[in-house]
Every structure is written in C-alpha cells, then in structure tokens.
Amino acid sequence: AELVGFSFAMRPNEGFYIPCKHLYLGAPEQLNLQDVIDRLKPVFENPSIKKVGQNIKYDWIVLTRHGVRLAGVAFDTMLASYLINPSKRAHNLDQIALDFLDHKTITYEDIAGKGKKSVSFSEITVDKAVPYACEDADITLMAYGVLKPEVEKLGLADLFENIEIPLVPVLKRMEMRGIRVDRNKLKDLSGSFERQLQLIEEKIYYIAGKRLNIKSSQQLGTILFEKLQLPVQKKTKKRTGYSTDVEVLTTLAAKHELPELVLRHRTLAKLKSTYADALLDLIHPETQRIHTSYNQTVAATGRLSSSDPNLQNIPIRTDEGKEIRKCFVPRDGWLLLSADYSQIELRILAHCSEDEILIQAFKEDEDIHTRTASEVFQVFPSFVTADLRRQAKIINFGIIYGMSPFGLSKSLSISQKMAKTYIDNYFGRYKGVKVFIDNVIQEARNTEKTATLSGRIRLIPDINSNNGNLRRFAERIAINTPIQGTAADLIKLAMIEVEKAVSKRGFRSAMLLSVHDEIILEVPPDELQEVSVLVKEIMEGVWDLSVPLKVNVDSGDNWADAH
C-alpha cells in the first residue's frame, strides 16, 4: 500500500486530513509526502504521545515501510470491539460506529465505488477524501472514548494491555519478515497434484460409466443415487436435488468406492488451487517471500487466524500437507526451528478440572491417549493397540469439544449406544472432568458467558434457548472456549516473550509463523542450540499450571522436516 494522505483527530467532532498524493487530473497542489513524514515523525516516534487506531497493525506496517518507527500505541478500537463481543461477525469501523455510537459512517464504497468501477484512494478527489478521512479518525477517537471504559468494566483491561496490544507489534514484524517458499518445489507439487487428479477423474468416469462434471452436485447425485442406487442421505437445502456434501460422501464412502474417490478429488483440487498454485501468486516481488496476514479478531475463541495464505488449513497429518510444508524454506544456509506445544488443551483441561488421574498422568509424563484407552476400554496399558489409542484420542478431544454420543458414534463409526458407554466410562474414571463440565455449563446458564483463565470472555445467550439445537451448541461452546481460549492466550504470551527475548539477546534468529500451537523461527546454524533452549524454556514457563507444559522443539531445512 502506498501512502496518499494522513488523517487525525485529537478531540471529538473534529478531524484533519493532509492530502499528499491524490493523482487525478486537476488535483490541487499538495504537500510533499516525504516532507510531511519528516515533520510528523517526531510525533509518531514519541512514546509519550499515545496513539489510538482502528486495526493499527495495518497503519504500523505502512509507516514502517516509510521509515517511521511508530511508538506509543495505546489502543486499537477493532481489538477492543472484538474482546467485548468476540462472536460478533464484524469489527470494522462502520460496524463499531453503528454499534457503539449509533452513527452511520461514509463507507469506502460510497467514495471509491464498487467492483470493477471502483477506483484507488489516490484517484478520489480531495473534496471527497476530506470528509471520509476526517470522519474515519474522528469516529476512531470517539469509539475509543466508549470502548475503553467498557473494556475496563468487563474486566478485560489486563488481557487487552498485557496480551492483545503487545502482540500487535510482534505480528507486525512477523508479517513483514515473511517466509521463503521454494518456487520449483511448488511447481513440481502442482504438477504432481494435477497428474493425481487426472488419474482419479479417469477412475470416477470408469465407475460411473460416463464422463461427468465431478463438481456438479446434480450430475454426481444422479450417478450415486439413481444409477448406483446408493441410499439417499439428505436433499439439498431447497429440496430440489440430492445433497453430495462432505458428510454425505463420507457416510457413503464406507459402502462404495466412488464417493471415496470424489472426496479425494475434492481434497486434492482444493490443495492444488489454495496452496500449490496460489502460493506462487502470493510471492512478494520485492522480498521474494510470502507475507501472511495475522488476524486477531476473527476466531471467537481468541485463536489467531491467518489469510493470504491461510496457514491454519494446511492438513497436519496427510502426505499432501507435508509436501506443502516442504515448500516453506529458510534463507540460504539457515534452518527453520519449530516449537510445538504438546497436548496443551488436555493439559489445560487437567488444570481446570483438577482431575487427579489426568494430573497424575501428565506429571508422570504418561501417554495420555494410552492412559485414556486403558481407563475407558478397561484394559491394561500394555494391551492398548494402535486402534484403541486412536479411538481414545478422539474421545479425549471430543470431550473438550463437548461431543455428544451421536457425534462420537459418527467419529468412531460405532453405535450411539456404544458411544454413550465410552463417554460414561470416561466420566466414571475422570470424575473431575465431569464436575468441571457441569459447573462450566451451570455458570454459563447463570451469566450467559464463559471465560478463559486470563479473563477472555465469550457471550453465549443461546445457552438458555428453548431451541434444543441452539442450546446444545451453546453448551459445547461453554465447555470448549475456556480450554481452547486459554491455549490461545498461552501461545500469544509465548510469542510476545520469545520475540522480546530473541531481540534483547541480539540474536539474528527471527520468529516467522505461528500456526495452531506451533511457533516457527528462522535460525542461523550457530544460534540453533541456544535459541532452541531459550524458546523451549519460555514456552514451558509462560503460565503456571498444576501440570507441566511440554514443548517439542526440532529443526530442519523446511517446515515439514522441522516439525
């Protein structure tokens, strides 16, 4: 993004705009951009002059690119709106103005137009830009006046000031650093996916007895349910045709090869378009790196999300996911270091529930899934097979997500009766977990919200709904948010502390990515040992739980090998 002008507000109902680079025909004479930057720089860089912004990370990046070292960032209205109600879909300034100030703003589309007819800000006339830009700053300042007391009233000030705001410059630096990708590997991977897709397509055509558009739900439905006579699972929303969504195809895959092939085709096609092909277009022409954007205000649990590209959706355990990760590489001669929390959510569950068996298992560094298999299936640990351990793993994580017997039966492909027996066995042994879940749901019913260990809240008004589906979904949120949200808070704290420590000690190593419970750093070989120890120490000591936090640290020539 190029700077066109600056807008500011220092008291309510007043705004200022400094135009610098409006380039349309007949544009008035404007101040020189560099002169403006030079004059404003002492204000931007003075930490005692506090700055308030809306999505200030974006402005921070643009200013950094123009040689400004922004200091004194005190408040972000977008982050405050998100903390107050993280389940809300939008936290943009237009929405904040409506929600908190009862004001309808001039939108960007109002002045720039929509779609193909839209123009860039530099092509907008100054007389149109002034009210829009001034209102932007003025509304941000007035929103600050409303949101700051609300954050304090809800007990969110510590979370805001000690996690979310300090995380902004950390994410800013990570985004600006970016990460290298191997162009040739990506091209080879795209070609490999294409060849696999062609082979699958030929198989599908052979089984179907004709060529068809695999992406067409109508054509696929005709083959599956009319020609092959597979049992119809459900109709489309408008009841006009057969549904061929993932759930339907997964159920049918147990009965026939064709739906299994279609699922495989969809997965590969998505990975090819979303990663193998799209990553090439996302390589920055100047840095030759990919610069993902981290979003603090998207996931209602408090987890970070990323976009362009979305790094969270790369499959973790599949061969294809590993091949995509192999394309992410360090600078020449360096290594990628991965530091990954081990079973952080189950450890948080042990802490929150105070369950003696869970706490003992983690303190003695037992394999928790083997321990659960032994407890639930009532066998000695030495008799736990790989399949029993896999089932126990699903149960362990299913409990965190408030999974019902119906949900567990589908995940394990067993009867609901058997699934209920497994859940009953689990709660029969892990009594503390049962008490914790019951207490969390009751507390949520009383307050219509749930909270993490660091005080992050999530409103759940549907917990008292008369609609059974809405109520059950709200109960699952009530159980999951304290666990997943606390995990999110811990990794954010770890990122802040790692960035601080690496910088303070003058290492050349740098944090590049954060995905789920994992942090990725780019490290020169001579710093590998010291940085590995430092990162592990920080991540394991970031919060004092009743069970030890455990971090796996590894390194390699690409992201897959470092994991």
Side-chain angles (χ1 to χ4, degrees):
E2 296 300 323
L3 275 169
V4 177
F6 300 85
S7 64
F8 307 94
M10 282 152 282
R11 55 175 173 258
N13 300 305
E14 184 177 85
F16 298 88
Y17 180 58
I18 306 172
C20 299
K21 279 202 166 185
H22 289 266
L23 305 173
Y24 58 90
L25 193 65
E29 191 179 343
Q30 295 155 69
L31 294 176
N32 176 275
L33 178 64
Q34 194 54 52
D35 289 347
V36 174
I37 291 171
D38 292 343
R39 290 291 292 276
L40 292 175
K41 213 175 177 187
V43 176
F44 284 140
E45 297 187 348
N46 185 340
S48 65
I49 300 174
K50 299 303 175 192
K51 321 298 188 303
V52 173
Q54 162 73 12
N55 188 17
I56 205 161
K57 173 161 63 75
Y58 184 88
D59 308 61
W60 206 331
I61 289 170
V62 174
L63 288 171
T64 303
R65 288 182 56 239
H66 285 80
V68 176
R69 300 182 70 170
L70 187 64
V73 171
F75 203 88
D76 187 322
T77 46
M78 184 174 80
L79 284 176
S81 167
Y82 166 75
L83 286 188
I84 290 163
N85 187 357
S87 298
K88 211 170 58 174
R89 213 171 262 180
H91 301 279
N92 55 51
L93 197 60
D94 298 332
Q95 193 63 48
I96 289 170
L98 278 174
D99 291 348
F100 296 97
L101 302 170
D102 196 24
H103 175 81
K104 172 78 175 73
T105 53
I106 306 163
T107 68
Y108 186 73
E109 284 182 349
D110 289 339
I111 59 161
K114 284 185 184 179
K116 289 180 181 176
K117 291 183 179 177
S118 67
V119 295
S120 71
F121 200 74
S122 61
E123 296 170 90
I124 292 164
T125 60
V126 171
D127 62 329
K128 273 190 177 180
V130 168
Y132 169 80
C134 289
E135 183 189 59
D136 238 30
D138 183 31
I139 291 296
T140 302
L141 181 65
M142 287 201 281
Y144 162 69
V146 175
L147 293 169
K148 190 172 190 288
E150 189 68 12
V151 164
E152 288 165 357
K153 188 178 91 178
L154 292 169
L156 297 165
D158 278 354
L159 176 67
F160 187 78
E161 290 162 14
N162 298 320
I163 297 182
E164 295 298 345
I165 286 290
L167 187 65
V168 175
V170 174
L171 296 177
K172 183 217 76 156
R173 287 190 283 271
M174 286 167 65
E175 288 182 20
M176 293 192 78
R177 286 170 191 145
I179 187 168
R180 271 182 73 187
V181 289
D182 188 320
R183 281 179 185 271
N184 293 330
K185 270 187 188 171
L186 275 174
K187 286 174 183 170
D188 290 347
L189 189 58
S190 179
S192 168
F193 284 166
E194 183 59 43
R195 288 188 292 277
Q196 289 179 63
L197 284 167
Q198 286 170 359
L199 286 171
I200 293 167
E201 282 165 18
E202 291 305 321
K203 269 190 183 178
I204 289 171
Y205 299 152
Y206 176 76
I207 295 169
K210 60 183 279 192
R211 298 183 85 80
L212 71 147
N213 178 1
I214 299 165
K215 292 177 185 172
S216 165
S217 188
Q218 195 175 5
Q219 291 184 34
L220 188 59
T222 303
I223 296 293
L224 290 171
F225 305 113
E226 292 179 16
K227 184 171 182 181
L228 297 177
Q229 293 288 298
L230 290 170
V232 176
Q233 302 297 306
K234 59 182 177 181
K235 292 280 190 174
T236 55
K237 278 184 182 174
K238 292 182 180 175
R239 317 289 301 166
T240 54
Y242 306 109
S243 172
T244 59
D245 63 19
V246 173
E247 191 181 3
V248 168
L249 293 178
T250 304
T251 303
L252 295 175
K255 306 175 191 296
H256 199 281
E257 188 185 5
L258 185 62
E260 190 179 351
L261 287 168
V262 173
L263 279 173
R264 175 96 179 114
H265 186 276
R266 282 186 189 174
T267 301
L268 274 178
K270 188 171 182 184
L271 291 176
K272 182 181 184 296
S273 64
T274 309
Y275 296 106
D277 297 342
L279 287 178
L280 288 166
D281 296 330
L282 290 172
I283 296 171
H284 196 282
E286 289 172 34
T287 65
Q288 294 302 308
R289 289 182 161 229
I290 280 173
H291 301 266
T292 190
S293 293
Y294 284 102
N295 313 306
Q296 281 171 271
T297 61
V298 172
T301 55
R303 276 194 179 275
L304 287 171
S305 71
S306 68
S307 49
D308 301 318
N310 179 352
L311 300 172
Q312 318 285 339
N313 281 0
I314 302 173
I316 291 171
R317 288 175 187 84
T318 66
D319 290 339
E320 292 80 25
K322 285 172 188 162
E323 289 303 313
I324 292 165
R325 279 182 167 78
K326 279 182 183 175
C327 298
F328 289 80
V329 295
R331 63 178 70 185
D332 290 338
W334 285 36
L335 296 159
L336 289 183
L337 182 146
S338 161
D340 193 6
Y341 275 117
S342 169
Q343 296 165 341
I344 188 170
E345 292 180 357
L346 291 172
R347 289 169 193 271
I348 291 165
L349 177 64
H351 174 84
C352 292
S353 67
E354 300 176 358
D355 184 272
E356 290 177 7
I357 296 175
L358 267 185
I359 288 171
Q360 182 197 16
F362 281 122
K363 279 187 172 176
E364 294 178 4
D365 202 21
E366 287 184 50
D367 181 323
I368 195 65
H369 301 313
T370 299
R371 176 68 183 257
T372 297
S374 172
E375 301 286 358
V376 172
F377 305 126
Q378 297 172 352
V379 294
F380 288 112
S382 55
F383 293 147
V384 172
T385 62
D387 190 53
L388 284 180
R389 186 185 180 278
R390 179 190 64 81
Q391 290 185 54
K393 187 174 181 179
I394 291 169
I395 293 167
N396 270 332
F397 288 108
I399 295 297
I400 293 173
Y401 289 94
M403 195 183 275
S404 64
F406 174 70
L408 186 62
S409 71
K410 290 181 79 172
S411 294
L412 294 179
S413 300
I414 56 174
S415 69
Q416 277 194 63
K417 189 178 177 184
M418 183 63 78
K420 186 178 183 309
T421 302
Y422 286 171
I423 290 172
D424 290 344
N425 285 354
Y426 180 96
F427 287 134
R429 294 297 293 155
Y430 297 108
K431 291 184 172 66
V433 176
K434 177 69 174 138
V435 171
F436 165 71
I437 287 173
D438 289 345
N439 289 344
V440 162
I441 290 173
Q442 189 53 53
E443 177 71 13
R445 285 207 180 103
N446 295 340
T447 62
E448 296 197 338
K449 66 182 179 185
T450 188
T452 69
L453 291 180
S454 58
R456 183 183 301 279
I457 60 170
R458 185 171 179 186
L459 306 181
I460 36 175
D462 288 339
I463 194 91
N464 292 315
S465 171
N466 291 326
N467 180 315
N469 285 336
L470 286 177
R471 190 175 61 254
R472 282 188 290 274
F473 181 64
E475 286 172 359
R476 288 197 292 276
I477 288 173
I479 298 163
N480 172 242
T481 299
I483 306 298
Q484 201 182 75
T486 298
D489 293 337
L490 296 198
I491 197 143
K492 285 177 177 179
L493 277 170
M495 289 165 69
I496 293 164
E497 293 304 318
V498 166
E499 180 77 6
K500 204 187 293 178
V502 168
S503 171
K504 189 179 175 183
R505 300 196 186 192
F507 287 121
R508 289 171 294 151
S509 299
M511 190 161 50
L512 306 186
L513 303 178
S514 171
V515 182
H516 303 303
D517 304 323
E518 178 185 17
I519 293 172
I520 305 291
L521 293 92
E522 190 173 44
V523 183
D526 59 311
E527 290 179 3
L528 181 63
Q529 182 59 35
E530 217 176 331
V531 171
S532 297
V533 171
L534 178 68
V535 170
K536 185 177 172 71
E537 203 174 87
I538 289 169
M539 290 177 73
E540 290 183 345
V542 83
W543 197 280
D544 190 20
L545 297 179
S546 55
V547 297
L549 285 169
K550 186 178 178 183
V551 172
N552 300 314
V553 179
D554 214 336
S555 61
D557 294 327
N558 59 62
W559 186 6
D561 289 352
H563 201 274

CSV table of all heavy atoms in Angstrom, one decimal, residues 42-70:
chain,number,residue,atom,x,y,z
A,42,PRO,N,8.6,13.0,14.5
A,42,PRO,CA,8.8,13.2,16.0
A,42,PRO,C,7.6,12.8,16.8
A,42,PRO,O,7.7,12.4,17.9
A,42,PRO,CB,9.2,14.6,16.1
A,42,PRO,CG,9.7,15.0,14.8
A,42,PRO,CD,8.9,14.2,13.8
A,43,VAL,N,6.4,13.1,16.2
A,43,VAL,CA,5.1,12.8,16.9
A,43,VAL,C,4.9,11.3,16.9
A,43,VAL,O,4.6,10.7,17.9
A,43,VAL,CB,3.9,13.5,16.3
A,43,VAL,CG1,2.6,13.2,16.9
A,43,VAL,CG2,4.1,15.0,16.4
A,44,PHE,N,5.0,10.7,15.7
A,44,PHE,CA,4.8,9.2,15.6
A,44,PHE,C,5.8,8.5,16.5
A,44,PHE,O,5.4,7.4,17.0
A,44,PHE,CB,5.1,8.8,14.1
A,44,PHE,CG,4.0,9.1,13.2
A,44,PHE,CD1,4.3,9.6,11.9
A,44,PHE,CD2,2.7,9.0,13.5
A,44,PHE,CE1,3.3,9.9,11.0
A,44,PHE,CE2,1.6,9.3,12.6
A,44,PHE,CZ,2.0,9.7,11.3
A,45,GLU,N,7.0,8.9,16.6
A,45,GLU,CA,8.0,8.1,17.3
A,45,GLU,C,8.2,8.5,18.8
A,45,GLU,O,9.0,7.9,19.5
A,45,GLU,CB,9.4,8.3,16.6
A,45,GLU,CG,9.3,7.8,15.1
A,45,GLU,CD,10.7,7.8,14.4
A,45,GLU,OE1,11.6,8.4,15.0
A,45,GLU,OE2,10.8,7.1,13.4
A,46,ASN,N,7.3,9.4,19.3
A,46,ASN,CA,7.4,9.8,20.7
A,46,ASN,C,6.5,8.9,21.5
A,46,ASN,O,5.2,8.9,21.4
A,46,ASN,CB,6.9,11.3,20.8
A,46,ASN,CG,7.1,11.8,22.2
A,46,ASN,OD1,7.2,11.0,23.2
A,46,ASN,ND2,7.1,13.1,22.4
A,47,PRO,N,7.0,8.0,22.4
A,47,PRO,CA,6.2,7.1,23.1
A,47,PRO,C,5.3,7.7,24.1
A,47,PRO,O,4.3,7.1,24.5
A,47,PRO,CB,7.2,6.2,23.8
A,47,PRO,CG,8.5,7.0,23.8
A,47,PRO,CD,8.5,7.9,22.7
A,48,SER,N,5.6,9.0,24.5
A,48,SER,CA,4.7,9.6,25.5
A,48,SER,C,3.4,10.2,24.8
A,48,SER,O,2.5,10.6,25.5
A,48,SER,CB,5.5,10.7,26.3
A,48,SER,OG,5.9,11.7,25.4
A,49,ILE,N,3.4,10.4,23.5
A,49,ILE,CA,2.2,10.8,22.8
A,49,ILE,C,1.5,9.5,22.4
A,49,ILE,O,1.9,8.8,21.5
A,49,ILE,CB,2.6,11.7,21.6
A,49,ILE,CG1,3.4,12.9,22.0
A,49,ILE,CG2,1.3,12.1,20.8
A,49,ILE,CD1,3.9,13.7,20.8
A,50,LYS,N,0.4,9.3,23.1
A,50,LYS,CA,-0.3,8.0,22.9
A,50,LYS,C,-1.1,8.0,21.6
A,50,LYS,O,-1.7,9.0,21.2
A,50,LYS,CB,-1.3,7.7,24.1
A,50,LYS,CG,-0.6,7.6,25.4
A,50,LYS,CD,0.5,6.5,25.4
A,50,LYS,CE,1.3,6.5,26.7
A,50,LYS,NZ,2.5,5.7,26.6
A,51,LYS,N,-1.1,6.8,20.9
A,51,LYS,CA,-1.8,6.7,19.6
A,51,LYS,C,-2.9,5.7,19.8
A,51,LYS,O,-2.8,4.7,20.4
A,51,LYS,CB,-0.8,6.1,18.6
A,51,LYS,CG,0.6,6.7,18.6
A,51,LYS,CD,0.7,8.2,18.4
A,51,LYS,CE,2.1,8.7,18.2
A,51,LYS,NZ,3.1,8.4,19.3
A,52,VAL,N,-4.1,6.1,19.2
A,52,VAL,CA,-5.2,5.2,19.1
A,52,VAL,C,-5.5,4.9,17.6
A,52,VAL,O,-5.5,5.9,16.8
A,52,VAL,CB,-6.5,5.9,19.7
A,52,VAL,CG1,-7.7,5.1,19.5
A,52,VAL,CG2,-6.2,6.1,21.2
A,53,GLY,N,-5.8,3.7,17.3
A,53,GLY,CA,-6.1,3.4,15.9
A,53,GLY,C,-7.1,2.3,15.7
A,53,GLY,O,-7.5,1.7,16.7
A,54,GLN,N,-7.6,2.2,14.5
A,54,GLN,CA,-8.6,1.1,14.2
A,54,GLN,C,-7.8,0.2,13.3
A,54,GLN,O,-7.3,0.5,12.2
A,54,GLN,CB,-9.8,1.7,13.4
A,54,GLN,CG,-10.6,0.7,12.6
A,54,GLN,CD,-11.5,-0.3,13.5
A,54,GLN,OE1,-11.6,-0.1,14.7
A,54,GLN,NE2,-12.0,-1.3,12.9
A,55,ASN,N,-7.6,-1.1,13.7
A,55,ASN,CA,-6.7,-2.0,13.0
A,55,ASN,C,-5.3,-1.4,12.8
A,55,ASN,O,-4.8,-1.3,11.7
A,55,ASN,CB,-7.3,-2.5,11.7
A,55,ASN,CG,-6.5,-3.6,11.1
A,55,ASN,OD1,-5.7,-4.3,11.7
A,55,ASN,ND2,-6.7,-3.8,9.8
A,56,ILE,N,-4.7,-0.9,13.9
A,56,ILE,CA,-3.5,-0.1,13.8
A,56,ILE,C,-2.3,-0.9,13.3
A,56,ILE,O,-1.3,-0.3,12.8
A,56,ILE,CB,-3.2,0.5,15.2
A,56,ILE,CG1,-2.4,1.8,15.0
A,56,ILE,CG2,-2.5,-0.5,16.2
A,56,ILE,CD1,-2.4,2.7,16.2
A,57,LYS,N,-2.4,-2.2,13.3
A,57,LYS,CA,-1.3,-3.0,12.8
A,57,LYS,C,-1.0,-2.7,11.3
A,57,LYS,O,0.1,-2.6,10.8
A,57,LYS,CB,-1.6,-4.5,12.9
A,57,LYS,CG,-0.6,-5.4,12.2
A,57,LYS,CD,-0.6,-6.9,12.7
A,57,LYS,CE,-1.9,-7.6,12.6
A,57,LYS,NZ,-2.2,-8.0,11.2
A,58,TYR,N,-2.1,-2.4,10.6
A,58,TYR,CA,-2.0,-2.1,9.1
A,58,TYR,C,-1.3,-0.8,9.0
A,58,TYR,O,-0.3,-0.7,8.2
A,58,TYR,CB,-3.4,-2.1,8.5
A,58,TYR,CG,-3.4,-1.8,7.0
A,58,TYR,CD1,-3.3,-2.9,6.2
A,58,TYR,CD2,-3.5,-0.5,6.5
A,58,TYR,CE1,-3.3,-2.7,4.8
A,58,TYR,CE2,-3.5,-0.3,5.2
A,58,TYR,CZ,-3.4,-1.4,4.3
A,58,TYR,OH,-3.4,-1.1,3.0
A,59,ASP,N,-1.7,0.3,9.7
A,59,ASP,CA,-1.0,1.6,9.6
A,59,ASP,C,0.4,1.5,10.0
A,59,ASP,O,1.3,2.1,9.4
A,59,ASP,CB,-1.7,2.6,10.5
A,59,ASP,CG,-3.2,2.6,10.3
A,59,ASP,OD1,-3.9,1.6,10.5
A,59,ASP,OD2,-3.7,3.7,9.9
A,60,TRP,N,0.7,0.7,11.0
A,60,TRP,CA,2.0,0.5,11.6
A,60,TRP,C,2.9,-0.1,10.5
A,60,TRP,O,4.1,0.4,10.3
A,60,TRP,CB,1.9,-0.5,12.8
A,60,TRP,CG,3.0,-0.3,13.8
A,60,TRP,CD1,4.3,0.1,13.6
A,60,TRP,CD2,2.9,-0.7,15.2
A,60,TRP,NE1,5.0,0.0,14.8
A,60,TRP,CE2,4.2,-0.4,15.8
A,60,TRP,CE3,1.9,-1.1,16.0
A,60,TRP,CZ2,4.4,-0.6,17.1
A,60,TRP,CZ3,2.1,-1.3,17.3
A,60,TRP,CH2,3.4,-1.1,17.9
A,61,ILE,N,2.5,-1.1,9.7
A,61,ILE,CA,3.3,-1.7,8.7
A,61,ILE,C,3.6,-0.6,7.6
A,61,ILE,O,4.7,-0.5,7.1
A,61,ILE,CB,2.5,-2.9,8.1
A,61,ILE,CG1,2.6,-4.1,9.1
A,61,ILE,CG2,3.2,-3.4,6.7
A,61,ILE,CD1,1.7,-5.3,8.7
A,62,VAL,N,2.5,0.1,7.2
A,62,VAL,CA,2.7,1.1,6.1
A,62,VAL,C,3.7,2.2,6.6
A,62,VAL,O,4.6,2.6,5.8
A,62,VAL,CB,1.4,1.8,5.7
A,62,VAL,CG1,1.6,2.9,4.7
A,62,VAL,CG2,0.4,0.7,5.1
A,63,LEU,N,3.6,2.7,7.8
A,63,LEU,CA,4.5,3.7,8.3
A,63,LEU,C,5.9,3.1,8.4
A,63,LEU,O,6.9,3.8,8.1
A,63,LEU,CB,4.0,4.2,9.7
A,63,LEU,CG,2.8,5.1,9.7
A,63,LEU,CD1,2.3,5.3,11.1
A,63,LEU,CD2,3.1,6.4,9.0
A,64,THR,N,6.1,1.8,8.9
A,64,THR,CA,7.4,1.2,9.0
A,64,THR,C,8.1,1.2,7.6
A,64,THR,O,9.3,1.5,7.5
A,64,THR,CB,7.3,-0.2,9.5
A,64,THR,OG1,6.6,-0.2,10.8
A,64,THR,CG2,8.6,-0.9,9.7
A,65,ARG,N,7.3,0.9,6.6
A,65,ARG,CA,7.8,0.8,5.2
A,65,ARG,C,8.3,2.2,4.7
A,65,ARG,O,9.1,2.3,3.8
A,65,ARG,CB,6.8,0.3,4.2
A,65,ARG,CG,6.6,-1.2,4.4
A,65,ARG,CD,5.6,-1.8,3.4
A,65,ARG,NE,6.0,-1.5,2.0
A,65,ARG,CZ,5.2,-0.8,1.2
A,65,ARG,NH1,4.1,-0.4,1.5
A,65,ARG,NH2,5.6,-0.6,0.0
A,66,HIS,N,7.8,3.3,5.4
A,66,HIS,CA,8.2,4.6,5.0
A,66,HIS,C,9.2,5.2,6.0
A,66,HIS,O,9.3,6.4,6.1
A,66,HIS,CB,6.9,5.5,4.9
A,66,HIS,CG,6.2,5.3,3.6
A,66,HIS,ND1,5.3,4.2,3.5
A,66,HIS,CD2,6.1,5.9,2.4
A,66,HIS,CE1,4.7,4.2,2.3
A,66,HIS,NE2,5.2,5.3,1.6
A,67,GLY,N,9.8,4.3,6.8
A,67,GLY,CA,10.9,4.7,7.7
A,67,GLY,C,10.5,5.3,9.0
A,67,GLY,O,11.3,5.9,9.7
A,68,VAL,N,9.2,5.1,9.4
A,68,VAL,CA,8.8,5.6,10.7
A,68,VAL,C,8.7,4.5,11.7
A,68,VAL,O,8.2,3.4,11.4
A,68,VAL,CB,7.3,6.2,10.5
A,68,VAL,CG1,6.8,6.7,11.9
A,68,VAL,CG2,7.3,7.4,9.6
A,69,ARG,N,9.3,4.7,12.9
A,69,ARG,CA,9.3,3.7,14.0
A,69,ARG,C,8.2,4.2,15.0
A,69,ARG,O,8.5,4.9,15.9
A,69,ARG,CB,10.6,3.6,14.6
A,69,ARG,CG,11.7,3.2,13.7
A,69,ARG,CD,13.1,3.1,14.3
A,69,ARG,NE,13.1,2.0,15.2
A,69,ARG,CZ,14.2,1.5,15.8
A,69,ARG,NH1,15.4,2.1,15.5
A,69,ARG,NH2,14.2,0.5,16.5
A,70,LEU,N,7.0,3.7,14.7
A,70,LEU,CA,5.8,4.1,15.5
A,70,LEU,C,6.0,3.7,16.9
A,70,LEU,O,6.4,2.6,17.2
A,70,LEU,CB,4.5,3.5,14.9
A,70,LEU,CG,3.2,4.0,15.5
A,70,LEU,CD1,3.0,5.5,15.3
A,70,LEU,CD2,2.1,3.2,14.9
